[in-house]
Amino acid sequence: FEKLKRGLAKTRDLLLTDVNDIILGKKEIDQELFDELEEALIAADVGPAFTAELIERMTDSVRRKELDSPERLKEVLRNTMKAILKKNEAPLVLPKNGIFTILVVGVNGTGKTTTIGKLAHQFKEQGHSVLMVAADTFRAAAIEQLEIWSQRVGVPLIKQKMNSDPSAVVFDAIAAAKTGRADVLIVDTAGRLHTQVNLMEEMKKMKRVMSRELPGAPHEVLLVLDATTGQNAVSQAKMFSDSVGVTGLVLTKLDGTSKGGVILRIAKEYNIPIRYIGIGEGLDDLREFSSEDFVSALFE
Ligand code: GDP
């Protein structure tokens, strides 16, 4: 928790310093206070929908006389954030039997490879036999990076030559898993934005091949988003969920950004569970998302 708190320090500074300033010197809750609060929330990247719901709930609390002094505002703010984020809290649960397949998607540079390495490590620690799958065959660097993680965490990598068909790599991986070599497959995919249409078609094909070879696969389509990119992360969430369908989110690089509020925005606007958050480059710096811990780290 202390690590999470340190990681979220910049976001906390941005959000709470403003909120404290607004409360300071105010004797009553009035429209002016709400206007200032609204401005601070928008500045913190939490998005219009989240801000609107927050202000609405607070206005309600004033009406019900639960919120009767500016000092109580922070408490109501905290509880409301928690309530909104709670809806997006749903940890990824791996079944006891069968092969579980995770397709990891996202734009290059968001932290896909790192997340795959960290996940492979966690699942291995939990006793699973994991395979990493190099289905970004477009960049030699992508395969090399995965190779490094594969050695680092001691999890085998399924790969082919550069420029081979990503679906063929996935096919191989599923065949290997079926022979009993693995019960979890974590598939890296290409994230080149400038060829968006091809990329999405490639993903759809991969999904088709997976479900043909293994009913129910992919069991999870995990979208990796970089929290430091704020608004870009929001549009990537839209692009990927519209085109390939996303079943879970990972928000990386929450450490060292003041834009962590974007998690609230994405939670509110896209009803996709937030599975994990990344708070550093180390092996253990990928945490299961907990609304309770997240909000506590922001306010304590
Ligand atoms: P990819 O291109 O999407 O596969 O991105 P990489 O996994 O190579 O990550 C890009 C950079 O972001 C690397 O330098 C990672 O170490 C770094 N990174 C990934 N996740 C996190 C995180 O949660 N926190 C921080 N501070 N850095 C991260």
Side-chain angles (χ1 to χ4, degrees):
F1 181 71
E2 287 308 312
K3 175 100 204 238
L4 176 66
K5 213 170 126 178
R6 278 199 304 280
L8 289 176
K10 285 192 182 164
T11 301
R12 183 174 58 237
D13 282 353
L14 176 70
L15 193 64
L16 286 196
T17 309
D18 271 1
V19 171
N20 286 334
D21 283 352
I22 292 167
I23 297 172
L24 197 77
K26 290 251 171 31
K27 291 198 177 53
E28 56 186 328
I29 309 241
D30 52 16
Q31 191 54 44
E32 186 190 315
L33 187 148
F34 277 147
D35 288 346
E36 287 178 20
L37 186 65
E38 191 169 343
E39 221 171 281
L41 289 167
I42 297 282
D45 256 334
V46 304
F50 182 85
T51 303
E53 177 164 346
L54 210 54
I55 299 285
E56 195 185 306
R57 287 193 188 212
M58 289 194 169
T59 312
D60 262 3
S61 301
V62 172
R63 213 176 290 128
R64 288 197 306 270
K65 306 226 183 320
E66 291 161 11
L67 179 56
D68 49 11
S69 71
E71 292 80 54
R72 287 218 52 211
L73 192 118
K74 240 158 68 176
E75 198 183 320
V76 174
L77 186 64
R78 175 182 177 151
N79 290 339
T80 311
M81 276 191 181
K82 211 155 57 183
I84 296 179
L85 278 175
K86 185 84 191 161
K87 288 187 248 167
N88 293 69
E89 182 185 280
L92 195 62
V93 182
L94 268 53
K96 290 225 157 51
N97 301 304
I99 302 165
F100 194 78
T101 52
I102 305 170
L103 198 61
V104 185
V105 304
V107 171
N108 288 338
T110 53
K112 258 194 328 251
T113 316
T114 310
T115 299
I116 289 170
K118 291 170 176 172
L119 276 179
H121 172 70
Q122 284 189 16
F123 293 147
K124 187 187 169 195
E125 295 283 291
Q126 291 164 15
H128 292 282
S129 43
V130 186
L131 276 183
M132 301 198 321
V133 186
D136 177 1
T137 57
F138 192 72
R139 291 183 310 154
I143 305 175
E144 283 159 21
Q145 285 300 315
L146 268 187
E147 195 112 54
I148 293 170
W149 275 102
S150 153
Q151 281 159 12
R152 182 168 172 198
V153 301
V155 163
L157 176 70
I158 299 277
K159 57 169 186 176
Q160 287 186 10
K161 284 198 305 288
M162 222 186 112
N163 292 325
S164 52
D165 182 356
S167 294
V169 187
V170 172
F171 181 94
D172 279 358
I174 292 179
K178 281 181 178 168
T179 65
R181 274 186 63 195
D183 61 7
V184 182
L185 298 183
I186 311 176
V187 184
D188 183 30
T189 62
R192 46 186 195 281
L193 255 191
H194 53 284
T195 52
Q196 223 184 90
V197 176
N198 287 346
L199 178 68
M200 295 305 166
E201 286 313 311
E202 185 177 293
M203 301 248 187
K204 284 179 191 162
K205 182 176 169 196
M206 238 188 287
K207 282 181 76 177
R208 276 200 306 276
V209 169
M210 288 175 85
S211 70
R212 192 186 67 210
E213 295 307 310
L214 191 69
H219 304 88
E220 173 85 355
V221 179
L222 202 55
L223 172 64
V224 179
L225 297 172
D226 177 344
T228 65
T229 63
Q231 179 57 43
N232 276 345
V234 179
S235 34
Q236 287 161 23
K238 176 166 174 46
M239 185 183 80
F240 280 93
S241 56
D242 286 350
S243 51
V244 284
V246 174
T247 56
L249 298 176
V250 180
L251 207 63
T252 63
K253 308 185 202 178
L254 270 171
D255 54 306
T257 177
S258 58
K259 295 183 179 170
V262 79
I263 200 169
L264 296 156
R265 175 173 192 155
I266 294 169
K268 182 80 193 128
E269 290 177 23
Y270 300 90
N271 218 1
I272 310 169
I274 302 162
R275 307 286 196 198
Y276 299 95
I277 56 174
I279 53 166
E281 297 183 278
L283 261 187
D284 295 317
D285 293 334
L286 186 73
R287 304 284 175 86
E288 252 179 24
F289 175 68
S290 146
S291 55
E292 173 78 46
D293 287 355
F294 187 84
V295 174
S296 296
L298 277 186
F299 281 83
E300 273 166 26

